[in-house]
Each structure stands twice: as structure tokens, then as C-alpha cells.
């Protein structure tokens, strides 16, 4: 396959995937329909597409300003040029992000001149349509604006953040929300936004009661899979190179699970004792339920509750693979109000890992940034408030309620938690540090008495997560 053909495939995908909330699934379907695309080309195409989606806002603004001189440009060529602009701005600002693509392209096309071949193609193609100097100047114009703004944002009221939002590829209303809230927490919202421009680490965790983390690391090393212990979770491993583990024997035998470190920390915040009864209220495919079973040495009683029966069936399969017997799935139908396993004033721990905007996982799925609107955000927060209130009734006196999201929006996080406390006087804040100390975990930004914590990609290295912990008064 010629290099130009490879990028044309990227352009074809981009024309459709920008409207798709699940680009990963779409890419899989696309590759299944075009079996002639080899595995090496697929890897390059996937990486290019995701880099483009992460920088979508910046690229769109640059193209709009540059394309005023173009007439009657075809959609296919427009998408191709946008992809090449994304790659060019990365060559100028974040060249390290392109290294794996450059290496892969060099092996396929020009082993001796890896960077030259890649760079010359991009520059030649852009130069055929735009003045390259103008493109470069425009990129640095936006970049100098963000450097200036980083120095003043704490001391000056924001008037116009159009350029900042464009440069950081973040919708303006999200940036406004972060600028209003996060500086009060001594967190730089610009650095949060910039961290979402890069891929997330590939993290797994130990899922077997016999094997230790060091033993799993040794097993991976035997297969030339390099990894290292996660910074905070004592059960996590970060894999250096993103690979497909689904056919790996360690995964197929249930000894490891794929789970972000932030998601692991949500479970560790619950700090379950072996005999505790746990309700995982919005369990989905059950990553957290599986971790609870591991932490309890499979001696507890876990109800994995969800409204999606297909995800619960996947959890049943994962639990069998791992050999856990303490997890019971509960398909909850609101219209029939099925409450057989949901007993009020019964569970030691109730986790409400609520459906959310997913902004905290935008490194994995950049479309979460672009599909969210202020109206959607308001509706999501209302639903989260309802879920937290509804499932709180199942916590026994003296028991624990944990609310979590994979969002970085204060409207979904601290606003929901504090509104819950105002309406439910039977619950009191519970310090998170008590749970993390029991695992010898010290987390940045977590005060000794704080009942809530936001995990940031730029500070903690995890996906963006929010955790709030409450105890029901006795």
C-alpha cells in the first residue's frame, strides 16, 4: 500500500468517525470490511485517526483560517489536508507523539530515512495547497497565546478564551467551567486540557489470588511484554507498548484484567473487608465488581447491578474466567422495579459509578469532548443526582456510599456530591485518606479530611476520575 493510499484511508475514516461516539468500534468494523489492509498499516491508521481526533478543535480552526484561499475543495481532499495539518502541528509542537508512527512508516516504506520520508510527504502535500510559512506562523501564533495565558490566568479575569480553547482542542464551555472551578483547587485547567491531547497509558491489574504483581511482571517479560508497577495502585501494571492482550494466556486464564489505575483507585477508596456485602449499582461489564472480588479474596457477597443485560453477561463470562464465585448479576428493569437482590438498609458498601460524560477518558475516546453540550451536561448531572439518591437507600446504618464518575466536569462531580449531602442528612462525609492509608497509598491533592478527590491525567497519570465517599449515620 502506498503512503498516500494509507492517508486516504485515514481521511475516509475521519469523514464518518467524527459523528461516531465509539471510534474504536467503528475502526474495528472498517478494518473487517477491508481485509486487504495489513496489521502494520492498521496500527498506523488507528494512531493517525486518534491523534487527529484529539487535536480536532485546533485543526478545524487552523483549516478554516487557511482554506479561505481554496475554492471548491472536495470533501475527501479537505479531510486529508486536515489530517496532514494535525500531523504537521505535532511535528512542530509535540514531535515525540509521532515517533511510533514514524518508526512504523519507516519499516514499511523507507527504512533508511524514517523521519525524512514521513515529513517530506506531509510538507509536500500541504505546500501544494497552502503557504507552508503561513501554516507554521499560524500554529505558533496560537501556541504563543497559550504560553502567555498560562502566566496570567490565575490573576486575571478571563474575557475571551476563544484562542485558548482552540489551541487546546477543548469546547469553550468546558474550558469556561474549568477556569471557574479548578484554579480554586490550585489545579491549572490549561494543563488538564493539554494532557487530553496525548494517549493514555495502557494499564492492567493482577486478577488472581495466587499470583503477585512481581510474578505477573516476570511472566509478561518472558513474552517480551515490558511493563512496570503503577505509581499508586499496588495491584496495577503499566504496559509500555500498547498491544492486544485479549489472546494472551495470562488474560484468557483470568490472571490479569485491563483496568485503568484511576478505576482501580475507586475500588480501593471503598476499602472492602472480606465479608462485606457490596452493591455495585451501575456495574456495566463489571471491572470494579471483579476487583472487589479480588480484594475480598472471593469471600464477600457482591451484587453487580445494571440496566444493560449484555454487559452483565460479559461480566458473568469474566467472573467465570477469573474463577470468582462471589459476584451475582442483577438485571434491573426500572419499569418493573425489580428489587429482589436490592434490599434497603442492607449493604456494607454501595458504589454508584454513575453514567457520565466520560470527559476524563477523552484520551481514549476524544469524541467525548466533541459530543458533549451544555444541555447534555445538565441532563447527565440531573440523572446522576437521581441515581445517587435512589441507591443510597440500600446502604445499611454505619455503611459506606461511594459516588464516582470518569468525568472532569465539576457539574457532574462536586456539585452532585454536595447537593446529595444537603438533601440527605443521614449521610456524612467520610475521609478518603483512611482507605488509601490502609493500602499505603499517598495521593497528590488529597487532604487528610477530604471526602472527595479528582484524579487528573496531568497530575496522577490516570484517566480523569472523581471519587466522593459518605457514611450513613448509625
Amino acid at each position: 500500500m502506498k503512503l498516500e493510499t494509507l492517508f486516504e484511508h485515514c481521511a475516509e475514516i475521519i469523514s464518518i468517525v467524527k459523528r461516531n461516539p465509539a471510534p474504536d468500534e467503528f475502526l474495528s468494523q472498517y478494518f473487517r470490511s477491508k481485509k486487504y489492509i495489513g496489521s502494520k498499516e492498521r496500527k498506523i491508521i488507528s494512531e493517525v485517526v486518534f491523534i487527529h481526533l484529539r487535536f480536532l478543535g485546533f485543526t478545524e480552526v487552523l483549516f478554516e483560517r487557511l482554506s479561505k484561499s481554496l475554492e471548491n475543495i472536495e470533501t475527501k481532499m479537505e479531510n486529508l489536508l486536515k489530517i496532514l495539518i494535525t500531523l504537521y502541528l505535532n511535528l512542530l509542537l509535540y514531535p515525540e507523539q509521532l515517533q511510533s508512527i514514524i518508526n512504523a512508516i519507516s519499516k514499511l516504506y523507507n527504512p533508511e530515512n524514517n523521519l525524512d520520508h514521513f515529513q517530506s510527504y506531509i510538507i509536500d502535500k500541504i505546500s501544494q495547497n497552502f503557504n507552508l510559512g503561513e501554516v507554521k506562523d499560524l500554529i505558533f501564533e496560537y501556541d504563543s497565546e497559550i504560553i502567555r495565558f498560562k502566566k496570567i490566568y490565575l490573576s486575571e479575569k478571563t474575557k475571551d478564551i476563544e484562542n485558548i480553547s482552540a489551541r487546546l482542542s477543548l469546547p469553550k464551555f468546558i474550558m469556561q467551567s474549568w477556569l471557574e472551578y479548578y484554579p480554586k483547587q490550585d489545579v491549572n485547567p490549561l494543563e488538564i486540557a493539554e494532557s487530553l491531547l496525548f494517549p493514555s497509558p495502557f494499564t492492567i491489574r493482577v486478577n488472581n489470588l495466587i499470583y503477585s504483581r512481581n510474578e505477573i511482571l516476570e511472566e509478561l517479560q518472558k513474552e517480551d511484554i515490558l511493563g512496570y508497577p503503577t505509581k499508586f495502585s499496588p495491584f496495577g501494571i503499566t504496559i509500555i507498548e500498547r498491544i492486544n492482550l485479549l489472546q494472551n494466556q495470562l488474560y484468557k486464564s483470568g490472571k490479569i484484567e485491563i483496568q485503568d489505575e484511576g478505576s482501580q483507585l475507586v475500588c480501593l477508596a471503598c476499602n472492602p473487608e472480606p465479608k462485606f456485602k457490596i452493591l455495585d449499582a451501575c456495574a456495566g461489564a463489571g471491572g470494579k465488581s471483579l476487583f472487589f472480588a479480588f480484594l475480598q479474596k472471593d469471600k464477600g457477597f457482591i451484587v453487580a447491578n445494571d440496566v444493560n443485560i449484555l454487559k452483565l453477561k460479559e461480566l458473568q463470562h469474566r467472573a467465570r474466567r477469573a474463577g470468582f464465585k462471589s459476584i451475582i448479576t442483577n438485571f434491573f428493569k426500572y419499569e418493573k422495579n425489580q428489587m429482589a437482590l436490592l434490599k434497603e438498609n442492607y449493604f456494607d458498601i454501595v458504589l454508584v459509578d454513575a453514567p457520565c460524560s466520560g470527559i476524563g477518558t477523552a484520551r481514549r475516546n476524544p469524541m467525548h469532548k466533541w459530543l458533549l453540550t451544555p444541555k447534555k451536561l445538565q441532563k447527565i448531572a440531573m440523572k446522576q443526582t437521581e441515581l445517587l439518591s435512589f441507591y443510597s437507600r440500600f446502604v445499611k446504618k454505619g455503611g459506606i456510599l461511594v459516588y464516582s464518575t470518569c468525568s472532569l466536569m465539576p457539574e457532574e462531580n462536586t456539585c452532585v456530591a454536595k447537593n446529595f449531602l444537603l438533601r440527605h442528612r443521614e449521610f456524612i462525609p467520610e475521609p478518603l485518606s483512611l482507605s488509601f492509608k490502609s493500602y499505603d497509598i499517598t495521593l497528590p491533592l488529597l487532604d487528610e479530611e477530604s471526602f472527595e478527590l479528582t484524579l487528573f491525567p496531568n497530575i496522577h497519570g490516570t484517566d480523569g476520575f472523581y471519587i466522593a465517599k459518605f457514611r450513613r449515620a448509625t
Side-chain angles (χ1 to χ4, degrees):
M1 182 183 296
K2 293 180 180 179
L3 185 59
E4 182 155 2
T5 306
L6 188 146
F7 282 114
E8 284 173 355
H9 278 296
C10 295
E12 183 181 349
I13 291 167
I14 287 299
S15 66
I16 304 169
V17 82
K18 284 193 292 187
R19 302 187 295 272
N20 196 304
D24 257 333
E25 292 177 16
F26 174 78
L27 274 170
S28 296
Q29 293 169 7
Y30 184 85
F31 291 141
R32 280 197 296 271
S33 70
K34 301 185 185 297
K35 298 188 186 303
Y36 60 85
I37 302 177
S39 59
K40 292 178 182 177
E41 285 92 346
R42 292 181 184 197
K43 188 174 187 298
I44 296 169
I45 291 169
S46 296
E47 284 199 46
V48 170
V49 166
F50 272 85
I51 286 176
H52 180 69
L53 292 179
R54 285 193 285 268
F55 282 84
L56 190 62
F58 193 16
T59 299
E60 292 286 348
V61 168
L62 291 172
F63 185 81
E64 185 180 349
R65 289 187 61 177
L66 290 165
S67 62
K68 291 175 182 177
S69 59
L70 297 178
E71 294 183 6
N72 301 323
I73 185 170
E74 294 181 2
T75 302
K76 186 178 178 181
M77 176 56 72
E78 179 180 322
N79 287 328
L80 178 60
L81 285 172
K82 286 177 179 179
I83 287 169
L84 296 176
I85 288 171
T86 297
L87 295 173
Y88 184 59
L89 73 86
N90 271 272
L91 277 170
L92 295 177
L93 302 177
Y94 307 109
E96 69 283 354
Q97 179 161 217
L98 299 179
Q99 197 55 56
S100 65
I101 294 175
I102 292 169
N103 291 343
I105 285 176
S106 72
K107 290 175 184 176
L108 280 173
Y109 301 105
N110 196 340
E112 295 180 2
N113 294 306
N114 51 354
L115 178 59
D116 288 350
H117 190 59
F118 177 75
Q119 190 167 281
S120 62
Y121 173 80
I122 293 170
I123 289 173
D124 289 348
K125 201 72 178 179
I126 292 175
S127 298
Q128 290 171 19
N129 296 274
F130 305 115
N131 180 307
L132 190 68
E134 184 184 349
V135 178
K136 187 175 181 179
D137 289 344
L138 192 56
I139 289 169
F140 282 119
E141 176 189 320
Y142 279 92
D143 200 51
S144 61
E145 181 76 5
I146 192 174
I147 292 170
R148 183 189 72 82
F149 194 69
K150 278 181 179 179
K151 296 176 182 177
I152 65 168
Y153 85 96
L154 283 173
S155 58
E156 186 178 288
K157 280 285 184 183
T158 307
K159 296 177 182 177
D160 182 14
I161 59 169
E162 211 64 65
N163 288 352
I164 301 304
S165 297
R167 166 62 182 81
L168 293 173
S169 285
L170 194 75
K172 186 177 175 180
F173 83 95
I174 296 179
M175 181 59 76
Q176 286 174 325
S177 173
W178 291 3
L179 283 166
E180 287 172 14
Y181 179 75
Y182 284 125
K184 299 170 190 173
Q185 318 302 315
D186 292 327
V187 175
N188 188 328
L190 280 67
E191 291 176 358
I192 304 170
E194 194 165 29
S195 72
L196 298 181
L197 299 176
F198 305 97
S200 57
F202 180 36
T203 309
I204 64 173
R205 65 163 174 80
V206 180
N207 196 47
N208 187 280
L209 300 174
I210 299 172
Y211 284 77
S212 69
R213 177 163 65 174
N214 285 338
E215 287 171 321
I216 294 293
L217 280 165
E218 288 172 6
E219 290 295 314
L220 289 168
Q221 194 168 14
K222 288 176 185 176
E223 300 181 40
D224 294 325
I225 301 172
L226 299 180
Y228 55 89
T230 45
K231 189 174 181 180
F232 303 112
S233 170
F235 306 102
I237 295 171
T238 299
I239 305 297
I240 292 173
E241 185 178 355
R242 189 173 290 275
I243 57 172
N244 184 1
L245 279 177
L246 299 184
Q247 299 306 314
N248 186 280
Q249 193 55 39
L250 285 171
Y251 179 82
K252 289 169 75 172
S253 63
K255 294 184 177 69
I256 59 172
E257 276 289 341
I258 299 169
Q259 186 177 27
D260 182 75
E261 187 178 13
S263 178
Q264 295 177 41
L265 291 170
V266 171
C267 296
L268 295 173
C270 296
N271 195 18
E273 294 182 15
K275 297 291 186 180
F276 273 9
K277 298 182 290 291
I278 300 175
L279 170 60
D280 188 356
C282 309
K288 295 180 179 68
S289 291
L290 290 166
F291 197 16
F292 284 141
F294 171 84
L295 293 172
Q296 291 184 298
K297 296 182 169 49
D298 206 28
K299 296 178 180 178
F301 174 72
I302 302 164
V303 175
N305 178 79
D306 204 86
V307 295
N308 188 324
I309 194 167
L310 294 178
K311 287 185 176 180
L312 290 177
K313 285 182 177 179
E314 183 183 342
L315 168 55
Q316 290 169 353
H317 171 71
R318 294 168 77 185
R320 283 195 299 270
R321 188 179 67 221
F324 293 137
K325 298 178 181 178
S326 57
I327 301 172
I328 298 174
T329 56
N330 185 54
F331 176 43
F332 186 74
K333 293 183 179 179
Y334 285 103
E335 67 273 13
K336 293 185 179 179
N337 200 26
Q338 294 182 350
M339 303 284 282
L341 290 169
L342 304 185
K343 300 176 183 177
E344 293 192 20
N345 193 27
Y346 177 73
F347 291 93
D348 298 281
I349 297 172
V350 172
L351 169 63
V352 182
D353 183 31
C356 67
S357 66
I359 295 298
T361 63
R363 297 183 298 176
R364 301 176 193 278
N365 187 344
M367 294 314 298
H368 287 320
K369 291 192 292 185
W370 307 115
L371 296 176
L372 186 65
T373 64
K375 189 174 181 180
K376 279 185 183 177
L377 180 61
Q378 187 179 19
K379 288 179 70 173
I380 291 169
M382 288 175 61
K383 184 63 177 177
Q384 290 162 336
T385 301
E386 290 173 11
L387 287 172
L388 186 57
S389 180
F390 176 78
Y391 284 111
S392 69
R393 72 176 74 177
F394 305 111
V395 183
K396 75 177 188 181
K397 291 183 178 180
I400 290 294
L401 173 66
V402 173
Y403 171 68
S404 70
T405 72
C406 55
S407 174
L408 289 166
M409 301 305 299
E411 294 86 346
E412 297 179 82
N413 296 342
T414 193
C415 293
V416 171
K418 290 180 178 176
N419 284 339
F420 172 79
L421 284 173
L422 287 173
R423 297 178 185 182
H424 292 267
R425 300 292 184 179
E426 71 274 24
F427 284 89
I428 57 174
E430 175 79 359
L432 282 165
S433 60
L434 299 175
S435 294
F436 290 124
K437 277 182 180 177
S438 66
Y439 296 101
D440 199 26
I441 297 172
T442 302
L443 289 164
L445 304 181
L446 182 60
D447 295 332
E448 191 77 15
E449 297 301 316
S450 181
F451 75 99
E452 59 178 348
L453 172 70
T454 303
L455 300 170
F456 297 99
N458 58 307
I459 295 173
H460 301 93
T462 68
D463 281 347
F465 274 90
Y466 174 79
I467 312 169
K469 190 171 186 178
F470 318 95
R471 184 178 292 276
R472 185 168 187 172
T474 54

